[in-house]
Amino acid sequence: MTSPSRRNFLRFSAAGLGALAAPAVIGQPSLTKIRFTLDFRVTGQVAPFFLALGKGYYREEGLEVSFDVGSGSVASITRVASGAYDMGFGDLNSLMEFTAQNNGVPQVQAVYQYYNRAPFAIIGRRDRGISDFKSLAGKNIAAAAVESTKRAWPIAARHLGMPANSLNWITTDFSARDNVVVRGDVDGATYFHDSALSLFQRMKPAELAVLPFADSGVVLYGNAVLAASKLVAENPKAVAGFVRATNRALLECLADPAPGVAFVKQREGLLDEATEVERFRITAQYIATAESRANGIGDVVAGNLQQQIDEVTEVFGLKLRPKADAVWNPAFLPAKAQRMARG
């Protein structure tokens, strides 16, 4: 008969989350360890990763995956490139720039396009006269010192026919962004649209103008699953397994985010599940776009990718134009039929 302590151990191991899961895989050398850095905190935005972890999809692929919080979608790239992490979640624009700065040699590659459209947005106070992109001219907009939404603004501005320097940037830490908007210290702030729920809970929607960059006419792929080129070369099986498991979980979350959010709640006990379900529903708008519904979740359109490379090269003033196959590696994508969103 199994003792109570043994039953408790097995129950926690089955959850597959964090350090509690580690004893379940000790002594199983067939499991390949993957260290994965997120772009930011653990929230409903990244529920598919925790659904795949909690339901054992990564283990089924022979992987022992650990997830750490990040310090921004730009920093994720350097974390992976440095060897501190095997894989990560980071911004494709910044990956293009990083590759160009390293002589076009791919140290990190995108292997699964999570955000088919970057969820970049500027959210402004209507009582400060913000109603559309043109009304942003001359306004004080809060943004972190290094973050992907601010850095992509000049690309959106080109499509809008606005000078890139038409905004007054106010450097603000991520954690203080809501506060400075609510207090009125600034006129608005940059956000990932799905990160703005905390602001929406403090101000009425009618008081805010949400301006997604996707509405500016620009086509920008956003955060992708990244893999170190070293891992791609030395263990392609692990990369393919991670992508398969993540894709499986992502499709499930698109159909119903609640189970994935429940696993997020296990990792971050103070989160409100209803809020995080709503957060993922916003995320889903940028994942399951018309493009990805036609071509399969996780993929890109070659012409759109090249246009993004060209615009990033010009707007960021890169000395070298990175090649598409240096930043994007589709070799690990499941078949299209396995990447079609349901519903």
Side-chain angles (χ1 to χ4, degrees):
M1 180 178 295
T2 306
S3 68
S5 61
R6 177 62 175 166
R7 285 196 299 271
N8 287 338
F9 170 76
L10 292 174
R11 184 175 71 252
F12 285 122
S13 295
L17 293 173
L20 292 177
V25 296
I26 291 176
Q28 296 183 34
S30 61
L31 290 177
T32 299
K33 292 185 177 182
I34 297 292
R35 298 161 298 174
F36 192 101
T37 175
L38 297 169
D39 61 331
F40 203 41
R41 296 188 296 262
V42 177
T43 68
Q45 288 166 294
V46 291
F49 296 127
F50 291 90
L51 181 71
L53 185 66
K55 295 183 76 170
Y57 295 166
Y58 294 126
R59 276 203 306 277
E60 290 176 19
E61 297 288 351
L63 304 175
E64 179 190 345
V65 181
S66 59
F67 290 96
D68 287 342
V69 298
S71 56
S73 55
V74 177
S76 300
I77 297 165
T78 54
R79 282 184 169 192
V80 175
S82 72
Y85 290 87
D86 306 294
M87 302 185 73
F89 190 50
D91 175 51
L92 199 62
N93 295 317
S94 299
L95 178 60
M96 294 170 186
E97 181 180 31
F98 179 85
T99 302
Q101 291 171 343
N102 286 275
N103 300 315
V105 178
Q107 297 185 33
V108 180
Q109 291 182 300
V111 294
Y112 187 89
Q113 191 56 50
Y114 191 94
Y115 282 111
N116 184 261
R117 291 293 181 268
F120 303 156
I122 292 176
I123 301 179
R125 295 179 59 120
R126 290 189 179 276
D127 63 358
R128 299 295 178 84
I130 296 177
S131 58
D132 57 17
F133 283 109
K134 297 293 185 181
S135 66
L136 291 171
K139 295 297 192 293
N140 294 325
I141 304 299
V146 179
E147 56 104 353
S148 51
T149 305
K150 175 185 175 182
R151 302 194 74 241
W153 164 249
I155 300 176
R158 290 183 69 196
H159 285 261
L160 292 161
M162 296 177 64
N165 63 355
S166 57
L167 311 183
N168 299 321
W169 294 110
I170 307 299
T171 301
T172 307
D173 187 77
F174 282 118
S175 62
R177 189 169 43 184
D178 289 355
N179 290 336
V180 295
V181 174
V182 172
R183 289 198 306 258
D185 298 343
V186 295
D187 304 311
T190 59
Y191 283 90
F192 271 30
H193 188 175
D194 41 12
S195 295
L197 275 182
S198 54
L199 177 64
F200 300 156
Q201 291 170 341
R202 298 177 64 182
M203 295 186 69
K204 296 176 181 178
E207 298 175 330
L208 298 167
V210 179
L211 308 175
F213 285 16
D215 290 350
S216 72
V218 67
V219 175
L220 290 177
Y221 296 113
N223 275 21
V225 173
L226 310 176
S229 296
K230 184 175 186 291
L231 181 66
V232 167
E234 296 179 358
N235 199 341
K237 181 180 178 181
V239 179
F242 185 94
V243 170
R244 275 194 302 271
T246 301
N247 177 74
R248 178 181 175 187
L250 179 51
L251 293 181
E252 290 183 18
C253 284
L254 288 173
D256 180 9
V261 167
F263 282 108
V264 170
K265 174 76 170 180
Q266 288 187 31
R267 172 70 178 253
E268 296 291 336
L270 295 180
L271 294 178
D272 176 72
E273 290 188 54
T275 297
E276 298 311 314
V277 166
E278 178 59 25
R279 191 187 309 278
F280 185 80
R281 293 194 192 283
I282 298 175
T283 299
Q285 299 172 26
Y286 295 90
I287 296 173
T289 66
E291 178 185 305
S292 60
R293 286 186 178 279
N295 299 308
I297 304 296
D299 203 356
V300 303
V301 172
N304 288 340
L305 177 64
Q306 188 59 55
Q307 178 181 329
Q308 186 167 344
I309 291 173
D310 293 342
E311 291 194 308
V312 167
T313 299
E314 182 177 348
V315 171
F316 286 17
L318 305 184
K319 295 181 179 180
L320 181 150
R321 187 184 308 275
K323 294 185 180 299
D325 60 5
V327 297
W328 169 247
N329 187 342
F332 306 103
L333 291 177
K336 178 179 176 180
Q338 298 171 2
R339 294 183 288 102
M340 302 305 292
R342 299 183 292 273

